[in-house]
Each structure stands twice: as C-alpha cells, then as structure tokens.
C-alpha cells in the first residue's frame, strides 16, 4: 500500500475586475511543485516539512469574512458573510463579479460543485441554491432547513445532494425534482460532509469520530475514532479516507473497517481546517493531498506506495 510522503515546495452581478493587491479579505491562488501519481491506496504517513508556493494572483474578494471556497474546471467561487458569492476565472486570472440570490439570502457558508457545470450554495437563510455556471443563473432554491447550512455534498452522479444545518438536521435532496427525500437528526452540527467515491455511503463527523453511513440499509455506521475532534476529511482512494483536525495531524483510515492505517503526527503546528485530494481529478490515482491549517500554512503532500522511494 502507498503512503503519504512529505510535502513538496510548492444573482446580482458586479463588473469584472483585474488583478488587485490582496487586502484583508482576499483570494490568492498559487502553484507548487508536484510529482508522479501513486497508483495504489495510501496506508502510511511520513513527517512533513515546510512547503513553499508562489502566488500567481490575488483579488479583493469580499467585504466580510470568507466562509467557503470551491473550484472546478476554470471556476473558483467563494462565499462570504457579506451574503455574496465571488466568481473567478482561474485560466484568465480574472474576477467575473459577485452573485447575490433573490431576496438577499444570508451569509454563504457552504459550496459544492458538480463537475464544472453546476454549483450548490447554502448559508444563513437555510436555503440550498443551484447555480448554472454557463451564465450563473440560479435555477432552483430548495427550502427545508430552519437553521443556517453548515455543509453541502453533491453525489458523484449529480442526481442527489446532502446538506447539514446548524440545527443538526441532515437532508438528502433529489436534484432532479428539488424535493427532499430523507431527513435525519445528527448528534451535533458538523462541517464534515462528503460522499464516498462510489457514492454508496457518506461521511459525517460527531465528536471525536468520523462516521461512514451506508445507503439503503440499517447497518450501524463505521466509526473512525480520533484522539481529538476531526475538522476535515477527503478520500485519498476508493477505500482510504484522510482526516485532520484539532491535533494538527493527518491520519489515513480504512473506511470500510474504521482501522487507522497511519498518521503524520506533526503535519501542522495547529488545527487542520481543510483537506483536498486530487483522487477524483487524476483518474483514481490519488496522487496528491493538500492541507490548510490555522497556523497559516497550506501544504502539498505526495501519496506514494508503501516501500516505494519518495
């Protein structure tokens, strides 16, 4: 099995704007060195070293705090406490403008793309909005939550989506009809919500555990118990889940059994807030994992086979 190697250096609309110096609330995009993809599931984690990246551009993004960001194809979208979505073209390195849903909406705290064609957004008003990226029209507003939305996840098929609100309610949406097919009460609110790559189960966080819930059955969820609460997760392969949280460590788990495979105990000096894997975008190779922390750093990790050279 491969392992995780040390990181390498590395709508209302407003008019488009060119490159701006980064102010307090800004979006910055950079690049870092990468290497060849691993072809097998990761199973161990090596110690991290500081990563270096070169910023390519930065934009004045919002008047409020940025609460969410998502990227797909050439699109980058950010959500803020100023109730707007910022839209950017990564290829042209330009800001396209801002989106504001009808009625003013609320603080935008969750974003999830399906491919590069559609985007789901959710926030303080409890609504889930579906945006078409070709013209950034809001196609549908799905109502049902009575509290601000904390997380969104679109099914790999693009036909379903999950949402979780601050009131601990999880909802399963049919994106073809705009109707809610299923609701469930969670032990506590969570910002960790993702589908398995096969789409046959989903993952949430509860206390110090990640839970994998299978669809279409009454089986108890598979639990992955952490020493401290997890705050982020991403699939590194079909069956291996990477997680990070308050401890600053990155851990790899067998999602089917809940067994911890390995960890990078000193991945970051403080809480890990976000993990992103290239597993889906690189044809299943699961080559890289990026982590962002409250220590102010973003690190890029290379997934390599156990026993292979780094």
């Amino acid at each position: 099995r491969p392992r995780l190697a040390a990181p390498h250096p590395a709508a209302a609309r407003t008019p488009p704007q060119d490159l701006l110096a980064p102010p307090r609330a800004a979006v910055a995009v950079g690049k870092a060195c990468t290497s060849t993809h691993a072809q097998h599931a990761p199973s161990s984690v090596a110690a991290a070293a500081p990563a270096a990246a070169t910023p390519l551009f930065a934009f004045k993004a919002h008047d409020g705090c940025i609460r969410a960001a998502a990227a797909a194809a050439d699109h980058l979208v950010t959500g803020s406490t100023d109730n707007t979505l910022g839209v950017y073209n990564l290829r042209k390195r330009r800001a396209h403008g801002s989106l504001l849903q009808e009625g003013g909406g609320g603080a935008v705290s969750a974003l999830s793309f399906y491919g590069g064609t559609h985007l789901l957004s959710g926030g303080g008003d409890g609504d889930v909005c579906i945006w078409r990226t070709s013209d950034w029209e809001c196609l549908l507003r799905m109502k049902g939550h009575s509290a601000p939305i904390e997380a969104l996840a679109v099914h790999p098929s693009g036909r379903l989506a999950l949402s979780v609100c601050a009131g601990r309610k999880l909802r399963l949406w049919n994106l073809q009809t705009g109707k809610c097919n299923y609701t469930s009460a969670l032990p506590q609110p969570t910002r960790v919500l993702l589908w398995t790559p096969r789409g046959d189960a989903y993952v949430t966080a509860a206390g110090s555990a990640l839970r994998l819930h299978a669809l279409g059955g009454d089986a108890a969820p598979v639990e992955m118990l952490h020493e401290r609460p997890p705050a982020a997760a991403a699939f590194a392969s079909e069956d291996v889940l990477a997680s990070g949280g308050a401890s600053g460590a990155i851990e790899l788990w067998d999602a089917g059994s809940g067994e911890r495979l390995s960890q990078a105990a000193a991945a970051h000096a403080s809480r890990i807030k976000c993990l992103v894997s290239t597993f889906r975008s690189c044809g299943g190779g699961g080559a890289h994992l990026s982590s962002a922390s409250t220590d102010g750093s973003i690190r890029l990790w290379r997934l390599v086979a156990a026993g292979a050279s780094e």
Side-chain angles (χ1 to χ4, degrees), residues 191-215:
R191 292 185 62 84
V192 178
L193 180 66
L194 66 159
W195 291 95
T196 62
R198 298 185 186 94
D200 57 356
Y202 61 92
V203 177
T204 63
S208 295
L210 289 176
R211 292 181 173 180
L212 186 141
H213 309 259
L215 293 182

Side-chain angles (χ1 to χ4, degrees), residues 47-287:
T54 303
L56 296 179
F57 61 92
F59 292 105
K60 179 180 180 180
H62 296 278
D63 293 329
C65 298
I66 296 174
R67 295 289 308 275
D74 292 336
H75 308 298
L76 170 67
V77 178
T78 56
S80 169
T81 55
D82 63 12
N83 296 8
T84 66
L85 286 79
V87 182
Y88 312 90
N89 186 301
L90 294 176
R91 180 172 53 84
K92 296 180 179 180
R93 304 179 189 179
R94 285 178 61 86
H96 280 322
S98 298
L99 302 175
L100 180 66
Q101 71 182 46
E102 184 179 355
V108 182
S109 54
L111 299 168
S112 183
F113 270 104
Y114 175 67
T117 61
H118 294 84
L119 172 75
L120 269 65
S121 68
D125 60 358
D127 293 353
V128 177
C129 296
I130 303 178
W131 303 85
R132 182 172 58 203
T133 62
S134 59
D135 56 6
W136 293 107
E137 179 182 354
C138 181
L139 302 176
L140 184 65
R141 290 174 66 179
M142 300 183 294
K143 298 179 177 292
H145 286 295
S146 58
I149 292 174
E150 297 287 328
L152 290 169
V154 180
H155 191 269
S157 69
R159 298 177 180 177
L160 303 170
L162 289 167
S163 61
V164 172
C165 75
R168 301 186 297 110
K169 280 289 187 181
L170 178 142
R171 290 181 177 269
L172 175 67
W173 301 93
N174 184 324
L175 298 183
Q176 296 177 305
T177 64
K179 303 297 183 181
C180 178
N181 287 354
Y182 170 79
T183 62
S184 177
L186 299 178
Q188 62 189 63
T190 179
R191 292 185 62 84
V192 178
L193 180 66
L194 66 159
W195 291 95
T196 62
R198 298 185 186 94
D200 57 356
Y202 61 92
V203 177
T204 63
S208 295
L210 289 176
R211 292 181 173 180
L212 186 141
H213 309 259
L215 293 182
D218 298 325
V222 176
E223 289 201 340
M224 289 155 271
L225 297 175
H226 296 63
E227 293 181 2
R228 300 182 68 183
F235 275 92
S237 75
E238 291 279 356
D239 303 300
V240 176
L241 183 67
S243 67
S247 68
I250 295 177
E251 300 177 80
L252 298 182
W253 303 83
D254 184 319
S257 67
E259 175 190 0
R260 188 175 72 178
L261 302 174
S262 63
Q263 71 170 335
H268 286 276
S270 59
R271 177 188 297 269
I272 294 173
K273 294 287 288 183
C274 183
L275 288 173
V276 177
S277 170
T278 62
F279 166 66
R280 290 183 178 178
S281 61
C282 69

Side-chain angles (χ1 to χ4, degrees), residues 284-300:
H288 295 93
L289 183 74
S290 58
S291 56
S293 168
T294 54
D295 64 14
S297 68
I298 298 174
R299 290 184 171 179
L300 180 66

